Amino acid sequence: GNCYYRAVLFAWLERSVALGNLDSLRSFDAMLRPHRQTPLLAPSVRVCHQILQGWIQKRAACTSKAALRALLGEVANEFNKERSDRSLILCLRHLIAEYLRQHAHEPVALGAGASMDRGDLLTYESWAVAISGAKNIDDYCEQHVYVMNKDAADHVQHVCPRVLRTAVRICMVDRETARCNFIDYGEGSLMATRPGAGESVGSAAQLASVGGHFGVQ
């Protein structure tokens, strides 16, 4: 469903507010500005704009830890409001789709032994077609990214941190054992996978996934 989008966005927004990184909130708002006239998205963009501007003003006015704690409580409560939750997630989905379409023919990464000369370079579009059977990147976005309650595939998990300009670590948990695997996404991570336990991470969102469901750690 929407759990990946919700978990990453909430963690990123909460951390940005906590650290006073208001430029991140302004950047997110600015990315949505061109969509204010898009018929199906405009209402959600307006909701996001009001929320983000409100948090920016309140965070700039915070002069005590108590005031900051109260504001972080507001951030958490906002995601419990159906209208706000839906608007924030829908806008993030559209920004991810926009990134995919803009970078459709750019390389994602070269695997071991891959060669551009052999024509096996993986682009965002070729990846999308391979994992979904979509005709092209536009078809992929229509079927798998824009649609609310559609699970976030690996493609989306790779792109989302780049849209938000952050890093995301997913902790894959097995109910049957105490073992877990960490998967890092974001610039410079190269989707690294490694086992571990008890590690800390300085990313905007560290997620735990059990059976395909995501939650913030």
Side-chain angles (χ1 to χ4, degrees):
N2 294 319
C3 56
Y4 170 84
Y5 297 90
R6 181 180 295 111
V8 171
L9 189 53
F10 168 70
W12 179 77
L13 288 169
E14 183 184 52
R15 184 172 187 267
S16 296
V17 171
L19 296 178
N21 188 1
L22 303 185
D23 285 342
S24 291
L25 303 186
R26 294 188 184 101
S27 176
F28 189 77
D29 190 33
M31 285 189 289
L32 292 173
R33 192 172 298 130
H35 299 284
R36 289 180 182 176
Q37 305 304 319
T38 303
L40 295 178
L41 192 60
S44 293
V45 172
R46 287 194 293 270
V47 170
C48 289
H49 176 69
Q50 292 172 357
I51 292 171
L52 293 169
Q53 288 302 310
W55 289 344
I56 289 170
Q57 293 173 12
K58 290 179 181 180
R59 182 62 178 90
C62 281
T63 57
S64 67
K65 291 183 178 179
L68 178 56
R69 283 195 297 270
L71 178 55
L72 292 175
E74 287 186 30
V75 175
N77 290 334
E78 202 66 48
F79 275 85
N80 290 320
K81 299 177 183 178
E82 183 177 354
R83 182 168 177 252
S84 300
D85 180 72
R86 184 184 186 282
S87 295
L88 287 163
I89 291 171
L90 185 61
C91 285
L92 179 57
R93 284 179 176 274
H94 275 259
L95 290 178
I96 290 170
E98 183 176 58
Y99 183 101
L100 285 169
R101 296 174 70 180
Q102 289 177 350
H103 299 269
H105 304 296
E106 295 178 11
V108 176
L110 283 174
S115 168
M116 292 181 67
D117 295 334
R118 294 205 308 266
D120 52 7
L121 180 65
L122 184 69
T123 66
Y124 285 98
E125 184 167 67
S126 61
W127 186 10
V129 171
I131 65 175
S132 69
K135 299 175 183 177
N136 50 44
I137 198 68
D138 291 333
D139 188 36
Y140 176 80
C141 291
E142 289 290 341
Q143 292 186 42
H144 299 278
V145 185
Y146 291 129
V147 183
M148 291 290 283
N149 298 315
K150 194 80 172 182
D151 288 340
D154 289 346
H155 214 167
V156 169
Q157 293 172 30
H158 176 78
V159 169
C160 182
R162 286 164 169 75
V163 171
L164 298 178
R165 298 172 187 173
T166 189
V168 172
R169 169 171 288 181
I170 296 178
C171 176
M172 305 296 290
V173 181
D174 184 350
R175 287 192 179 98
E176 303 301 322
T177 71
R179 187 178 178 82
C180 62
N181 288 322
F182 293 110
I183 307 174
D184 294 339
Y185 292 90
E187 294 293 343
S189 68
L190 295 179
M191 295 183 289
T193 304
R194 56 187 179 277
E199 293 186 41
S200 61
V201 61
S203 66
Q206 182 162 333
L207 309 179
S209 174
V210 181
H213 296 284
F214 295 89
V216 179
Q217 282 191 316

